[in-house]
Amino acid sequence: DGGITQSPKYLFRKEGQNVTLSCEQNLNHDAMYWYRQDPGQGLRLIYYSQIVNDFQKGDIAEGYSVSREKKESFPLTVTSAQKNPTAFYLCASSTGWGGGQETQYFGPGTRLLVL
Amino acid sequence: AQSVTQLDSQVPVFEEAPVELRCNYSSSVSVYLFWYVQYPNQGLQLLLKYLSGSTLVESINGFEAEFNKSQTSFHLRKPSVHISDTAEYFCAVTLVNAGNMLTFGGGTRLMVKP
């Protein structure tokens, strides 16, 4: 089945620790995205990638980093510089970047909690 | 910059009653409009979208939304809800010909009661 997988489902971070969230898609999509979801605030864009080996900062990139070495993979690292990392993180992909009409397909999410 | 406002954070409704979830947007340029649905502890799924043409768009599970340019609104409606419609609904926009970055509203939690 084609789709987006995210792992782990739950992740615990200790103070000062970097953690990496995995996102893999087998939809052959060029564009991929990372969103952060907090209660009552909707989703906010962290990073996006239009194509492999390229990525851009979104609205709330501080304290996060990404890589896009393979078309199907777009891991997100939450660094120790992110002071309030507790949230639900969603990865998405779309066929292209284009004119804004492409549907984004979402993974099941990773819930990050701070110990 | 564009923004999306969902006026109701929660909407309780009885099963088989009609419902309207309100969405207003602000943008200085043309936008595309989307409604996504999120079931508990899951990712988002596209419900419907407006790109062009008829201002009334429908989904396969009975929801519909109408684009009103003069009121900058894209309200979501269903004439008769089911328990299974209980979920959080997000309205979102992208800017026409300016990439595929979604700007989301804060979400509306639809709670269908028996």
Side-chain angles (χ1 to χ4, degrees):
Chain A
D1 287 338
I4 302 176
T5 57
Q6 292 186 241
S7 62
K9 187 173 182 179
Y10 295 94
L11 186 57
F12 298 90
R13 194 191 90 164
K14 297 178 182 178
E15 291 289 335
Q17 185 182 42
N18 293 353
V19 293
T20 298
L21 285 62
S22 170
C23 176
E24 303 278 333
Q25 54 99 359
N26 61 4
L27 300 168
N28 200 32
H29 285 173
D30 283 320
M32 296 186 75
Y33 315 79
W34 273 106
Y35 293 91
R36 171 180 170 139
Q37 183 177 15
D38 296 282
Q41 294 191 44
L43 282 73
R44 293 178 290 168
L45 183 65
I46 305 173
Y47 268 96
Y48 63 94
S49 169
Q50 299 180 43
I51 201 165
V52 66
N53 292 322
D54 176 75
F55 51 83
Q56 305 293 332
K57 293 181 179 180
D59 299 322
I60 56 166
E62 186 175 351
Y64 300 97
S65 66
V66 294
S67 63
R68 185 86 188 277
E69 298 174 0
K70 298 186 294 183
K71 186 176 185 177
E72 60 270 22
S73 178
F74 191 41
L76 173 74
T77 296
V78 184
T79 74
S80 57
Q82 173 49 244
K83 298 306 180 187
N84 184 24
T86 297
F88 192 48
Y89 291 86
L90 289 158
C91 179
S93 70
S94 63
T95 53
W97 181 247
Q101 68 268 42
E102 289 80 8
T103 297
Q104 291 188 26
Y105 297 85
F106 285 79
T110 291
R111 190 166 299 279
L112 177 60
L113 300 166
V114 177
L115 294 177
Chain B
Q2 69 277 14
S3 66
V4 178
T5 303
Q6 292 183 244
L7 296 165
D8 305 298
S9 60
Q10 295 186 65
V11 173
V13 64
F14 286 106
E15 192 174 18
E16 298 183 3
V19 70
E20 177 179 82
L21 307 184
R22 297 179 291 170
C23 172
N24 287 89
Y25 69 93
S26 173
S27 175
S28 57
V29 299
S30 296
V31 298
Y32 296 122
L33 296 136
F34 303 78
W35 274 101
Y36 280 86
V37 59
Q38 183 180 35
Y39 298 102
N41 294 312
Q42 295 186 26
L44 277 68
Q45 303 171 32
L46 179 71
L47 196 57
L48 46 77
K49 62 183 179 182
Y50 173 77
L51 302 180
S52 64
S54 171
T55 57
L56 185 66
V57 290
E58 298 177 350
S59 72
I60 57 173
N61 56 355
F63 283 94
E64 63 180 29
E66 185 159 22
F67 170 52
N68 188 317
K69 189 173 183 178
S70 62
Q71 297 187 12
T72 61
S73 68
F74 191 52
H75 301 331
L76 182 70
R77 302 183 183 96
K78 189 170 186 180
S80 176
V81 294
H82 303 289
I83 295 289
S84 60
D85 293 323
T86 296
E88 188 145 22
Y89 293 79
F90 291 95
C91 183
V93 302
T94 58
L95 302 181
V96 174
N97 292 327
N100 210 42
M101 290 180 290
L102 283 164
T103 298
F104 284 89
T108 297
R109 186 171 300 278
L110 177 63
M111 298 175 292
V112 182
K113 299 180 286 185

